[in-house]
Structure formats: structure tokens, C-alpha cells
Amino acid sequence: MSILTKIIKKMVPKDIHTYRTLHPPLPKHIYIDPSSYCQLQCPLCPTGTRTIKLDKQMMSLTDFKRYIDHFRIIKQIDLYNWGEPFLNPQLLDIIRYAKSKNIFVTIDSNFSLYFTDKKLDDILSSGLDVLRVALDGATQKSYNAYRKNGNFPLVLDNLRRLRQRQNITGKGTLQIIWKFLVNKYSQYEIDKAKKIAKKIDVEINFDKMMLSEYIPDLNIDPRLSLQARKELWLPTQKEYVQEEYLRTGTTVRFPGMPCPYLFNSPVIHPDGTILPCCYVANEASSMGNLRTTSFKDIWYSAKYQYARSLFVPGAKVKRVSVVCEKCFVYQRVNNKV
């Protein structure tokens, strides 16, 4: 089962029929991007390749409060998307505010920044629930193959010190996860990484690569075909390769179920733009903006209703141009791939 299949199955509510409607309840799970900037230049990321077509901004605490006030009940916020969250100087205040509302908060970070002991203590005491740190490899050479401009010793030391400070201070209940993306260059250091993770006492997860062909509104590098990307990045160890990449053909295959983002999990860019999912990377794909429109009006707008109708059997809605028609999830469900 692919990573995206697992993500989608996890996000779709158990009572899926309740969500096969054009008017689902207001979501309880949202993605909010506190920073659309990133200091790394990962070659399969729109931010890293500088091809993203969304405004670069930092989200202020004031805007964060304003945005989440649009929602009745939020149970979980994934506080990341296309940028590095810890570049935002108000990030910990944002987390604290979310926790004051009893919201479960997770962050994905490259963690390739210098943190003082006090900063690490503040992260621990902020109430953050889960921190996943992208660290692909066990040496600078293998890590830097994909995480361009990243500093492996710095990230590893940050992880080590964060766990050490947690043990010393007893602050918080933060779950710390080393997220190791297995690629052609890092695959030979899996065992070494396991030993390091055990030594510094952090959980380590091994993720399979996606190759950015699932981004529906952007081609990060038209010079490279999907086959060329496979040859450049995929590991030779088949157990660490997405199942769909082992099949013939060039299309990523998704499960035949509704898109969870359209029914349960919208994405908020720092400028208030509502994106239909976390794979969208173009302002033109916006569903609306919280600075000018209430979320409820956006959630039940003609755009959202038409997008959902692509997954609701028998639904008849006037067509509105939406990026979802280009998405592999829709195309797979409707037997177009």
C-alpha cells in the first residue's frame, strides 16, 4: 500500500457515506502553513525548486487567530505544507494559541536551523504534540543528495539535544520522529540510521519517495520525465519503492474513494488562501480567501460543491473550473487512468 493510499484512508471518516455529499460538516482537521519560505532546495519540491506559484509569506499570530476563528470545532491542525515552519518567528506562539483551544498540533520540519537550549525547551513547553524531522541518510553526503543546503550534523544534533532536554526537563509530551526518506542515495545507510536513532533515543520511520507528478497544477521540472525521475531517485531496494512505481505505465494509481481533503481537510496558505489539498501549488487553484470571505461560504461554494460532485455518484452540479479535474485521485476514481 502506497503512502498516499494510507494517508487518504486515514483521513476519510469511517462512515464514508456521510461524506459522499455536496454539503459535508465543517471540517475538524485542517492544514495551516505558517511559513511559505524554506532555506533548503529539495529538487522535487515546488518551494525548493522555486517554481511554486503561491505568494511567499509568514503567517502572523493575529492572522492565525483570525483564520481558526472561522471554524466551529477543530480537533487537529497539521502546521506545515510548502514551507519550513520554524522559520516563522511567531511559530511557538501560534502553537500555544492552538493548544489553548485543545487542538492536537503536528509539525513536519527539516530542522536544519540553529536552536539554543532555551529554544528547544520552548518547543517542548509549547504543547506541540508531534514533530517529524526530515533527515534522509546517516551522513552529510547522502542527506544532501536530496536535502540541498541542509546540514546533517546540525539536524542530528538538534534531534539529540531535543530528546536530551526533554529527558532533563521533563517538559511536555512531544513525540519526536526521525523521518527518513529512502532514495537512491540514502538507501545504503538505513541500518546505520537505525543505530543512530537508537543511540539518541528517537523513533525513526522510513518513507517511500513520491516524484511530484501528483501535483496537479505545476510541473516542477518539465525537462525530466517521470521515468527519468524514477531512474534518478528511486532506490534499488524494492521494499522501499512505492507499489505504483513498480507497475508498468507512468501514472500514479490512487484508491477508488473520495478525496478526503474536499470533504474533511482544507489547506490554509499564510495569506488566507484556501487550497483544496496540500498538493496544490498554484494561486490559480484557490477555492477562496479567508481575508475576504467566511470559511463557511467558501466550504459550501459552487467551486467546492462541483469539486465534490466529481466523487459523489449521481450528483448533478453546474460545472465550475476547478483544479480537481486534473487530479489523479479524480481520474482514478472515474477510470480515466
Side-chain angles (χ1 to χ4, degrees):
M1 184 183 296
S2 74
I3 290 175
L4 287 182
T5 300
K6 291 179 181 178
I7 291 173
I8 290 175
K9 286 190 174 182
K10 183 178 180 181
M11 290 171 61
V12 173
K14 293 181 180 179
D15 186 6
I16 195 171
H17 297 291
T18 301
Y19 281 72
R20 290 209 170 193
T21 170
L22 303 183
H23 298 83
L26 292 176
K28 297 178 181 178
H29 171 229
I30 57 178
Y31 289 84
I32 298 183
D33 203 352
S35 164
S36 56
Y37 292 91
C38 186
Q39 77 278 30
L40 303 193
Q41 291 185 288
C42 303
L44 293 178
C45 172
T47 307
T49 56
R50 311 301 190 247
T51 56
I52 195 167
K53 295 182 179 179
L54 292 164
D55 285 345
K56 290 188 178 299
Q57 290 193 19
M58 295 286 187
M59 183 179 291
S60 68
L61 176 61
T62 299
D63 280 342
F64 178 78
K65 291 179 178 179
R66 183 182 300 129
Y67 296 158
I68 68 171
D69 282 348
H70 280 262
F71 299 83
R72 292 176 183 171
I73 300 174
I74 302 177
K75 291 187 176 181
Q76 178 173 332
I77 292 176
D78 291 335
L79 206 54
Y80 59 90
N81 193 31
W82 288 125
E84 168 48 51
F86 283 102
L87 288 177
N88 188 324
Q90 291 190 290
L91 179 66
L92 298 185
D93 291 329
I94 287 171
I95 295 171
R96 292 186 190 104
Y97 185 76
K99 294 308 297 180
S100 74
K101 302 288 186 179
N102 296 315
I103 299 170
F104 190 87
V105 181
T106 75
I107 282 180
D108 276 24
S109 169
N110 61 57
F111 227 43
S112 187
L113 297 162
Y114 175 72
F115 296 110
T116 63
D117 284 349
K118 183 182 183 306
K119 181 73 171 184
L120 294 177
D121 289 347
D122 289 344
I123 292 172
L124 292 168
S125 62
S126 68
L128 179 64
D129 294 285
V130 178
L131 172 65
R132 289 179 291 266
V133 174
L135 190 59
D136 319 323
T139 62
Q140 174 66 25
K141 184 178 180 180
S142 63
Y143 165 74
N144 194 60
Y146 185 73
R147 304 291 171 181
K148 301 293 185 183
N149 296 340
N151 186 324
F152 179 85
L154 177 63
V155 181
L156 184 61
D157 190 54
N158 284 338
L159 274 175
R160 179 190 62 79
R161 290 169 52 236
L162 183 63
R163 171 61 82 199
Q164 186 180 61
R165 300 301 300 172
Q166 188 175 44
N167 292 337
I168 292 172
T169 64
K171 290 183 177 180
T173 57
L174 176 63
Q175 182 182 6
I176 305 167
I177 301 172
W178 173 346
K179 188 173 70 171
F180 185 119
L181 186 66
V182 182
N183 58 49
K184 187 175 183 179
Y185 308 95
S186 65
Q187 62 180 325
Y188 304 108
E189 297 182 345
I190 290 173
D191 289 340
K192 185 176 180 179
K194 287 179 180 178
K195 292 177 182 178
I196 295 174
K198 184 177 181 180
K199 183 177 180 180
I200 65 175
D201 188 30
V202 296
E203 177 182 347
I204 186 167
N205 290 342
F206 297 95
D207 284 356
K208 299 175 182 179
M209 289 199 77
M210 297 298 293
L211 301 173
S212 296
E213 77 283 6
Y214 53 83
I215 300 174
D217 55 1
L218 191 72
N219 189 340
I220 63 168
D221 190 349
R223 298 170 300 174
L224 287 179
S225 66
L226 177 57
Q227 184 58 37
R229 292 178 193 173
K230 288 180 180 181
E231 293 172 0
L232 182 61
W233 292 107
L234 294 185
T236 56
Q237 300 180 46
K238 296 295 190 289
E239 64 268 34
Y240 294 110
V241 178
Q242 296 282 356
E243 182 182 346
E244 51 264 33
Y245 291 146
L246 297 175
R247 302 184 186 132
T248 57
T250 59
T251 302
V252 177
R253 300 187 181 278
F254 291 86
M257 62 178 68
C259 169
Y261 299 96
L262 293 177
F263 295 84
N264 196 50
S265 302
V267 179
I268 305 176
H269 194 63
D271 65 359
T273 297
I274 297 292
L275 302 173
C277 74
C278 64
Y279 304 114
V280 167
N282 194 319
E283 174 70 26
S285 302
S286 168
M287 304 299 272
N289 193 294
L290 294 180
R291 291 184 176 178
T292 58
T293 312
S294 74
F295 179 75
K296 184 176 181 180
D297 286 345
I298 296 172
W299 192 239
Y300 297 118
S301 66
K303 273 191 174 183
Y304 256 116
Q305 289 189 61
Y306 176 70
R308 293 186 190 112
S309 76
L310 302 176
F311 302 95
V312 179
K316 295 182 179 180
V317 179
K318 183 178 179 181
R319 184 182 179 277
V320 181
S321 179
V322 290
V323 68
C324 308
E325 291 181 313
K326 303 176 183 177
C327 178
F328 286 122
V329 176
Y330 165 64
Q331 292 176 346
R332 177 60 176 167
V333 168
N334 290 274
N335 298 316
K336 293 189 176 184
V337 296

